[in-house]
Amino acid sequence: MTETESRQISPRHPAQESFVRFIGSSIFISRWLQAPLYIGLIVAQAVYVVVFWKELAHLVTDFGSLSEEKVMLIVLGLVDVVMIANLLIMVIIGGYETFVSRIGMESHPDKPEWLSHVNPNVLKVKLAMSIIGISSIHLLKSFIEAGTIVDGPHGNDKLMWQTIIHMAFIASAIGLAYVDWISAKAAALNHDTTGTGDQL
């Protein structure tokens, strides 16, 4: 046994122990400060529901006077709203489950499959993929309106920068997925090593 291991650790004073427990409990309870943020995101999702139905009503009532290109743009706008709503759901449910408290829906038949293995890395990858989907919709809308955009001031630059930003999102998602894969591989290797050591 080394000198460090044999050295006895002096116990904390009761007052000091109470103070440490108080600080630890306060930090742990502070996670509930995030709960109003997720409630705010629920309100934001309700706003998107209203936006979706307004756009859908516009499409249904005016479809006779709309060109095919305009109908396509409105439909893409609806898809964009749905994808943003999906992003909000992932942030609300996944973030709350990961950083605040368990939701306790293990036995619920409608529990999302991805929620059973959610962690910060998985959540980041899923969010990155959702952002790529949203960026793809915006880029497609720009390509459909390319003729009008190019004729406008700095039109070519706008299309170029939208494409570059979209590629940057893709590169970020690939990087996050690679980091998540490396972490999972390291965890599996560590688990195998620990299991082998226990058997020995």
Side-chain angles (χ1 to χ4, degrees), residues 1 8 20 24 49 51 64 84 105 114 122 132 145 154 168 178 186:
M1 182 179 295
Q8 294 183 351
V20 170
V49 171
V51 171
I84 293 175
M105 304 295 288
W114 55 268
V122 172
I132 289 174
E145 298 178 304
H154 308 291
Y178 179 73

Side-chain angles (χ1 to χ4, degrees), residues 103-178:
I103 296 178
M105 304 295 288
E106 286 76 11
S107 59
H108 198 284
D110 294 331
K111 178 185 175 182
E113 184 275 333
W114 55 268
L115 191 58
S116 60
H117 53 268
V118 68
N119 59 58
N121 287 336
V122 172
L123 192 60
K124 283 189 291 186
V125 173
K126 287 187 176 295
L127 293 179
M129 297 305 297
S130 297
I131 291 172
I132 289 174
I134 295 169
S135 176
S136 299
I137 296 297
H138 283 267
L139 192 59
L140 182 56
K141 290 170 67 176
S142 296
F143 285 160
I144 292 173
E145 298 178 304
T148 305
I149 294 176
V150 170
D151 292 338
H154 308 291
N156 289 325
D157 291 340
K158 289 181 180 178
L159 288 176
M160 180 188 69
W161 279 110
Q162 282 188 357
T163 305
I164 291 174
I165 291 171
H166 180 67
M167 297 304 296
F169 285 149
I170 293 176
S172 298
I174 293 174
L176 287 173
Y178 179 73

Side-chain angles (χ1 to χ4, degrees), residues 6-143:
S6 61
R7 185 183 304 159
Q8 294 183 351
I9 301 176
S10 58
R12 288 195 181 108
H13 188 275
Q16 184 183 11
E17 188 69 31
S18 299
F19 178 74
V20 170
R21 282 200 303 268
F22 171 76
I23 293 297
S25 299
S26 300
I27 293 174
F28 184 67
I29 293 173
S30 69
R31 75 193 190 280
W32 286 102
L33 291 174
Q34 294 192 37
L37 305 181
Y38 295 111
I39 294 174
L41 289 180
I42 294 173
V43 176
Q45 190 173 38
V47 172
Y48 265 103
V49 171
V50 175
V51 171
F52 179 91
W53 283 101
K54 285 177 62 178
E55 288 296 314
L56 184 61
H58 171 55
L59 175 62
V60 172
T61 56
D62 299 336
F63 78 94
S65 60
L66 296 174
S67 64
E68 182 181 355
E69 179 179 321
K70 188 63 177 177
V71 170
M72 188 182 302
L73 289 173
I74 294 176
V75 171
L76 287 175
L78 294 176
V79 174
D80 187 32
V81 171
V82 171
M83 296 188 73
I84 293 175
N86 292 339
L87 178 64
L88 285 171
I89 280 293
M90 279 193 289
V91 172
I92 293 169
I93 298 179
Y96 184 89
E97 177 89 7
T98 303
F99 300 109
V100 180
S101 179
R102 295 287 184 182
I103 296 178
M105 304 295 288
E106 286 76 11
S107 59
H108 198 284
D110 294 331
K111 178 185 175 182
E113 184 275 333
W114 55 268
L115 191 58
S116 60
H117 53 268
V118 68
N119 59 58
N121 287 336
V122 172
L123 192 60
K124 283 189 291 186
V125 173
K126 287 187 176 295
L127 293 179
M129 297 305 297
S130 297
I131 291 172
I132 289 174
I134 295 169
S135 176
S136 299
I137 296 297
H138 283 267
L139 192 59
L140 182 56
K141 290 170 67 176
S142 296
F143 285 160

